Amino acid sequence: MKERYSLLTRDLDWEPSYVPREKLYPFTSYEGIKVHDWDGWEDPFRLTVDAYYKYQAEKDKRLYAVLDGFAQSQGHLTLSDASYLNAIKLFIQGVTPLEYAAHRHFAYLARYLEGPAPRFAALCQSVDELRHCQTQIHTISNYNKYYSGFHSWSKMHDRVWYLSVPKSLFDDAMSAGPFEFLISISFSFEYLLTNLLFVPFMSGASFNGDMPTMSFGFSAQSDESRHMTLGLEAIKFLLEQDEDNVPIIQDWIDKWFWRAYRMSALVAAMMDYMLPRPVMSWKEAFELYFEDQMLGGLFPDLEFYGIKPPRHVQQAIAEKDRLSHEVYKILHNFSFAAAFTTSTPTQDHMRWLSEQYPETFDRYYRPVWEKHERIEAAGGRAFVMGLPQLCQVCQIPMAFTEADDPSRISYRRSQFRAETFHTCSDGCQWIFEREPEKYVQAWLPVHQIYQGNCGGPTVPDVLAWYGIQEGDNGEFKGSRDALAWTAWHAEGTTGSSNGVAKEV
């Protein structure tokens, strides 16, 4: 196997004779990274291509068997509740396009990284990412026959306000240099988000009866483990090549930890509020997968190379009791302009949140949700029909509170070229002021609406431009999905139509 790996990588390399090496690989020098020996790269893709594809094909067979069985048995009716699918809508709108973007950029690195082994590793990861995109589309498309909000996810990813959070992160990474992309995606993103998304959230999918999502999640997790190993090998390789690389990489770790952490705020809301049967809270998952495993296990190893824990990490830890509540409240306020529905947590769900967040939920968040309960009992439903100020870096509406004061909105101001730019935190302000020329070009959805670039000046104009249709958005109770769910289960109870759901 070792010989075959060598034949596929190092033995296929050659020294160019009619083109200067700098012209063949023009992108590996301008970031300041010094590499003296490309053969020092060791990566986790040491399987031969035959074994790699055979193994992946076997995993796909198992996944598609689950999908067939679920579809033929009307498995969507065995979900815990139709509201669960709001998390899956957010997944396909926000995460699946990132898999495709990763596939494209790793294919790009497979051409432009200078060493043969890194090029082969990038090629393998590109194939993995494309497989993930395809399996997620096939898995989730089954729900599109029966439920709203799944029809235009790729178009929405490029346009809808909350989806600019994940899209801007990848646009940022893909417009950086090749080594910064490796640190951003293969290290920071894979380690932080993948663990939180593909382990506890997929367990939640299983607990809520979504066997297809659980199957693709755990099928992808074995690939993700390899991706995380690639990220760690990449960072160790770069650190070992030259001491001058250390401060550059430290800067990238500081930046991309905060960017990945800010994006993971959407996952926090999915875990704590969008699962009718929650399994693990965001706080518990953050402590286990980030504080214990990454901060307590990985970073002590990196100290050997001179790498310190990420800048602003203490602020992230300080926010773990509040993050999911603040993010879901934003989604609840503005879901009239989202391709999913939201609802006030039930009393049972609030009791669970109280148990998980004893220091904060009852004090800061329960009173707000109970106020919503009273308004809805009187026949109302409160939406905030205005447009929120967005953070210039992470693009999340600036509704987070200060790390040391949960009652005070956090925002920062920076000046650049005689203009004022707003960010949501010390972390985002630090990122902005480090590269203001880049972030002043951010495509901020709210600003674009004001500039007339989003279909028109009215809410219906903008929703039509987003691709949002009637039934996709707003309040879950009384929504098209909720009514259909109730009718289908009533039919199943009475036996009037054998419980077979009709497509919408």
Side-chain angles (χ1 to χ4, degrees):
M1 184 178 292
K2 186 175 181 180
E3 183 181 353
R4 289 174 64 82
Y5 172 73
S6 179
L7 289 170
L8 280 165
T9 55
R10 285 142 173 93
D11 286 1
L12 281 180
D13 197 28
W14 69 93
E15 196 61 35
S17 59
Y18 55 90
V19 185
R21 198 169 184 85
E22 300 74 35
K23 191 172 181 181
L24 191 60
Y25 303 110
F27 305 120
T28 52
S29 57
Y30 70 87
E31 293 175 287
I33 290 292
K34 298 175 181 175
V35 176
H36 304 291
D37 177 19
W38 282 101
D39 284 338
W41 178 286
E42 295 289 345
D43 67 66
F45 293 93
R46 296 193 183 91
L47 293 171
T48 64
V49 166
D50 337 355
Y52 172 79
Y53 283 111
K54 181 181 177 184
Y55 180 57
Q56 299 296 69
E58 288 173 356
K59 288 201 299 184
D60 278 2
K61 284 179 185 174
R62 289 195 291 271
L63 171 63
Y64 285 105
V66 171
L67 298 188
D68 285 346
F70 193 79
Q72 291 175 18
S73 64
Q74 294 273 308
H76 70 95
L77 292 175
T78 64
L79 296 175
S80 58
D81 187 73
S83 64
Y84 157 79
L85 288 170
N86 287 309
I88 301 306
K89 293 171 190 175
L90 190 51
F91 189 101
I92 196 169
Q93 295 160 15
V95 178
T96 302
L98 301 187
E99 305 274 19
Y100 188 70
H103 147 68
R104 290 180 60 201
H105 206 76
F106 275 106
Y108 183 79
L109 294 187
R111 159 62 183 88
Y112 284 108
L113 282 176
E114 202 164 334
R119 287 201 299 273
F120 181 75
L123 175 65
C124 288
Q125 182 150 349
S126 174
V127 174
D128 274 353
E129 303 290 4
L130 182 59
R131 173 179 172 270
H132 293 177
C133 180
Q134 291 173 327
T135 54
Q136 288 165 20
I137 292 169
H138 288 159
T139 300
I140 297 174
S141 66
N142 178 57
Y143 295 118
N144 185 44
K145 292 188 289 187
Y146 306 106
Y147 301 94
S148 305
F150 290 101
H151 49 83
S152 301
W153 51 272
S154 60
K155 175 181 176 180
M156 291 171 181
H157 181 74
D158 290 339
R159 297 187 176 192
V160 179
W161 59 276
Y162 56 92
L163 298 172
S164 75
V165 176
K167 183 177 188 303
S168 70
L169 183 144
F170 256 70
D171 285 351
D172 191 353
M174 293 169 71
S175 56
F179 295 115
E180 184 176 349
F181 177 84
L182 273 179
I183 301 303
S184 64
I185 303 303
S186 295
F187 183 72
S188 299
F189 184 82
E190 294 281 5
Y191 263 94
L192 181 61
L193 191 78
T194 298
N195 264 337
L196 290 166
L197 187 62
F198 280 93
V199 183
F201 180 74
M202 293 306 165
S203 298
S206 171
F207 202 58
N208 284 276
D210 187 0
M211 293 301 110
T213 297
M214 180 208 73
S215 299
F216 88 62
F218 288 150
S219 169
Q221 179 56 26
S222 58
D223 301 341
E224 303 293 355
S225 299
R226 191 167 52 234
H227 300 172
M228 287 188 281
T229 309
L230 171 64
L232 185 58
E233 293 295 340
I235 199 169
K236 285 184 176 178
F237 168 76
L238 296 174
L239 291 168
E240 287 168 353
Q241 286 294 309
D242 200 294
E243 287 189 4
D244 289 350
N245 294 341
V246 175
I248 300 173
I249 290 172
Q250 179 72 59
D251 259 13
W252 289 339
I253 289 174
D254 293 347
K255 170 186 172 181
W256 288 102
F257 159 73
W258 190 258
R259 289 232 59 187
Y261 163 69
R262 268 305 193 234
M263 184 193 147
S264 70
L266 291 172
V267 182
M270 290 162 70
M271 290 175 61
D272 281 350
Y273 281 89
M274 291 183 162
L275 299 180
R277 293 177 188 162
V279 177
M280 173 184 279
S281 69
W282 163 260
K283 177 185 176 185
E284 188 179 0
F286 185 80
E287 289 172 345
L288 175 62
Y289 293 105
F290 177 70
E291 291 184 64
D292 291 352
Q293 295 188 6
M294 193 170 179
L295 201 58
L298 180 61
F299 275 93
D301 289 344
L302 293 177
E303 282 180 10
F304 172 78
Y305 301 96
I307 293 296
K308 296 177 290 188
R311 188 190 296 252
H312 304 117
V313 68
Q314 293 304 322
Q315 184 172 339
I317 293 172
E319 290 179 348
K320 66 186 177 186
D321 273 301
R322 311 201 308 263
L323 189 68
S324 64
H325 313 298
E326 294 180 354
V327 172
Y328 189 75
K329 192 66 182 67
I330 296 171
L331 299 178
H332 189 265
N333 286 346
F334 295 99
S335 62
F336 72 94
F340 55 78
T341 57
T342 57
S343 58
T344 299
T346 64
Q347 284 295 331
D348 281 346
H349 201 127
M350 283 194 255
R351 275 192 286 276
W352 180 81
L353 290 167
S354 294
E355 292 169 4
Q356 302 301 314
Y357 297 95
E359 303 297 323
T360 56
F361 183 76
D362 285 345
R363 182 176 182 186
Y364 298 110
Y365 309 111
R366 177 186 283 275
V368 177
W369 291 123
E370 290 184 339
K371 181 180 179 182
H372 276 286
E373 272 189 335
R374 294 193 294 275
I375 293 172
E376 289 162 20
R381 168 60 157 99
F383 292 108
V384 176
M385 301 300 288
L387 298 174
Q389 173 71 47
L390 302 182
C391 173
Q392 190 74 27
V393 174
C394 72
Q395 305 205 10
I396 295 177
M398 290 202 295
F400 290 122
T401 55
E402 292 286 357
D404 59 353
D405 185 355
S407 63
R408 191 158 53 93
I409 293 292
S410 170
Y411 68 95
R412 305 287 183 270
R413 290 193 182 97
S414 299
Q415 295 290 321
F416 182 68
R417 293 174 182 162
E419 283 190 68
T420 300
F421 295 89
H422 293 83
T423 45
C424 68
S425 57
D426 290 338
C428 284
Q429 184 182 40
W430 178 80
I431 292 170
F432 175 83
E433 293 183 349
R434 184 173 165 272
E435 299 175 279
E437 298 88 350
K438 186 171 193 177
Y439 293 101
V440 296
Q441 302 176 57
W443 195 94
L444 299 177
V446 169
H447 293 201
Q448 293 301 317
I449 292 172
Y450 277 126
Q451 291 173 28
N453 298 324
C454 299
T458 69
V459 170
D461 290 336
V462 175
L463 296 188
W465 186 80
Y466 281 171
I468 293 174
Q469 301 173 0
E470 185 179 353
D472 294 347
N473 55 340
E475 166 63 42
F476 173 73
K477 300 184 190 78
S479 68
R480 181 179 294 177
D481 284 358
L483 295 175
W485 177 263
T486 302
W488 292 334
H489 283 76
E491 290 171 358
T493 302
T494 59
S496 59
S497 64
N498 299 321
V500 177
K502 301 173 183 63
E503 297 180 9
V504 296

